[in-house]
Amino acid sequence: EADIYQTPRYLVIGTGKKITLECSQTMGHDKMYWYQQDPGMELHLIHYSYGVNSTEKGDLSSESTVSRIRTEHFPLTLESARPSHTSQYLCASSEIRDEQFFGPGTRLTVL
Amino acid sequence: GDSVTQMEGPVTLSEEAFLTINCTYTATGYPSLFWYVQYPGEGLQLLLKATKADDKGSNKGFEATYRKETTSFHLEKGSVQVSDSAVYFCALSPLNAGGTSYGKLTFGQGTILTVHP
């Protein structure tokens, strides 16, 4: 069973706040990913990492930033949240093969 | 660029009906193909996969065959249950000529399936 965790599961905050969404995995995977999921369900890759100290922007431009200081941890930060950031954020990880394991997601609402 | 196209949803079926969700793709290289399922309030779970032409992936009564000639990977199930109600995503992971994965997945837009008793 895949072990990838995201906290918080739900977050409601006001505009202008700084937030960090946490993602951790215990599988020792080198590759990790952040996706933004529309209300219409479509998934967009916003960040990925191939290992410690490696981060890349994904296919969808995002104002968020990420860091990868430890293999198991891949947090996503928004310096100043806006209503346009309201979405579901999904974290995933993978090993050498292609299969990605997903966390349960964080549903963010910015008022 | 690479892309995945799924049939428009939502799909609504009665229990025990036959299910087909169409998926076609365009890609350079030799992609691996996947179906993921997302139950309400959860992340995505891998349902099945196929890594080369004519491979058939199967799991929990679902099947999909990698058809290179038609660039398709349609999902089928002979008899759906209420518990199959979820969102289904087709995805691909392109491989280079050396067979190495680029490591990223390209997803279709998702198909919502609702099964009524």
Side-chain angles (χ1 to χ4, degrees):
Chain A
E1 186 175 323
D3 295 310
I4 179 164
Y5 308 98
Q6 290 185 244
T7 57
R9 291 293 312 276
Y10 303 91
L11 180 61
V12 180
I13 60 165
T15 296
K17 300 290 187 184
K18 177 180 178 179
I19 61 165
T20 297
L21 307 184
E22 302 288 349
C23 176
S24 295
Q25 50 97 3
T26 59
M27 297 170 283
H29 289 170
D30 284 327
K31 298 175 184 173
M32 295 190 74
Y33 313 83
W34 275 104
Y35 294 88
Q36 186 172 337
Q37 185 171 28
D38 294 341
M41 304 300 173
E42 196 161 354
L43 289 155
H44 302 284
L45 180 68
I46 53 175
H47 298 284
Y48 62 100
S49 167
Y50 285 163
V52 170
N53 294 325
S54 150
T55 60
E56 302 286 344
K57 290 192 178 296
D59 305 319
L60 179 70
S61 176
S62 173
E63 293 167 351
S64 59
T65 59
V66 292
S67 62
R68 189 87 183 276
I69 298 171
R70 303 198 314 266
T71 297
E72 63 271 21
H73 195 213
F74 191 41
L76 180 146
T77 298
L78 277 166
E79 290 293 333
S80 180
R82 295 206 300 269
S84 61
H85 297 138
T86 294
S87 190
Q88 166 128 294
Y89 293 86
L90 293 169
C91 180
S93 71
S94 69
E95 236 319 306
I96 298 171
R97 292 291 184 186
D98 311 318
E99 178 181 350
Q100 291 188 12
F101 295 91
F102 283 79
T106 293
R107 185 166 295 282
L108 172 66
T109 302
V110 184
L111 302 175
Chain B
D2 301 334
S3 67
V4 176
T5 302
Q6 290 181 230
M7 66 184 289
E8 294 287 331
V11 175
T12 303
L13 295 173
S14 297
E15 205 164 26
E16 299 184 2
F18 184 85
L19 168 71
T20 299
I21 301 178
N22 289 340
C23 172
T24 58
Y25 67 90
T26 58
T28 55
Y30 307 93
S32 293
L33 301 173
F34 305 84
W35 276 101
Y36 280 84
V37 59
Q38 184 177 31
Y39 297 103
E42 298 182 12
L44 277 68
Q45 302 173 25
L46 179 68
L47 182 59
L48 52 84
K49 66 179 181 182
T51 58
K52 60 183 187 297
D54 299 324
D55 266 3
K56 178 186 281 188
S58 61
N59 186 26
K60 299 182 181 179
F62 291 90
E63 293 183 340
T65 301
Y66 189 139
R67 301 284 187 204
K68 194 162 186 280
E69 63 276 11
T70 55
T71 61
S72 65
F73 193 54
H74 304 320
L75 182 68
E76 296 182 336
K77 187 175 185 183
S79 177
V80 293
Q81 305 300 313
V82 172
S83 57
D84 293 326
S85 298
V87 183
Y88 292 81
F89 292 91
C90 186
L92 68 82
S93 176
L95 303 179
N96 60 29
T100 303
S101 167
Y102 291 114
K104 292 194 289 180
L105 292 178
T106 298
F107 286 91
Q109 71 271 36
T111 301
I112 300 172
L113 170 65
T114 302
V115 181
H116 293 297

